[in-house]
Amino acid sequence: MRILSIGPFYAYLVNPLKRESERVHFSTTTETVFPYRLGKDVVIRFGQRGLVVGAWRDYAEDEDTAMALAIGARPDELFDEDGELAERFERHQMRRDVARHVRTLDDEWRIVNALDLLDEEEA
């Protein structure tokens, strides 16, 4: 996606949008690359395309926080007291990596169980 940024203002096109979405609605934009800016914007829908116009308002502390905000996660749930990614999210990522690299579900479960990657409520 290409963003046109002029001072504190920005604009970009979004494609596709659902036809059921409102013609005009408010949204937020989060940059997931440095400088990790956070913006408030208005989305104007034209058919299935949308024009986003907004203003940068703040900055995320780091890439992890920016990514968490971009996917709608709450940073206080993603990170522990030391600022490290919470163990349950690390295990979730490792389970996805295992699933991507095995051929059968049986192999996946054997590896996940051997590495003790299931959360307690999933076991």
Side-chain angles (χ1 to χ4, degrees):
M1 171 184 337
R2 187 173 179 105
I3 297 178
L4 172 64
S5 190
I6 302 170
F9 303 104
Y10 60 88
Y12 61 92
L13 294 175
V14 180
N15 186 30
L17 289 176
K18 295 179 182 174
R19 286 197 179 274
E20 306 86 49
S21 64
E22 299 174 23
R23 291 229 179 256
V24 177
H25 65 273
F26 295 99
S27 186
T28 60
T29 296
T30 303
E31 279 188 319
T32 55
V33 295
F34 187 80
Y36 313 119
R37 294 178 289 188
L38 308 174
K40 300 277 186 186
D41 45 60
V42 175
V43 181
I44 305 165
R45 182 174 60 84
F46 301 99
Q48 287 187 321
R49 300 189 84 173
L51 172 65
V52 179
V53 179
W56 299 117
R57 298 288 187 197
D58 202 359
Y59 294 88
E61 294 174 15
D62 54 25
E63 183 180 19
D64 290 336
T65 304
M67 293 297 279
L69 292 170
I71 63 171
R74 292 183 44 192
D76 58 327
E77 293 178 356
L78 281 176
F79 302 101
D80 60 20
E81 304 82 37
D82 301 328
E84 297 294 320
L85 194 60
E87 181 182 341
R88 67 183 179 279
F89 291 102
E90 287 179 356
R91 290 200 316 236
H92 180 72
Q93 180 60 47
M94 291 187 326
R95 287 195 316 260
R96 287 194 334 206
D97 290 344
V98 167
R100 226 182 341 221
H101 291 93
V102 296
R103 292 183 186 266
T104 68
L105 190 57
D106 288 335
D107 290 343
E108 178 183 343
W109 279 106
R110 228 182 344 267
I111 294 169
V112 164
N113 285 330
L115 296 175
D116 194 28
L117 295 178
L118 286 178
D119 294 327
E120 291 175 12
E121 59 270 2
E122 294 176 323

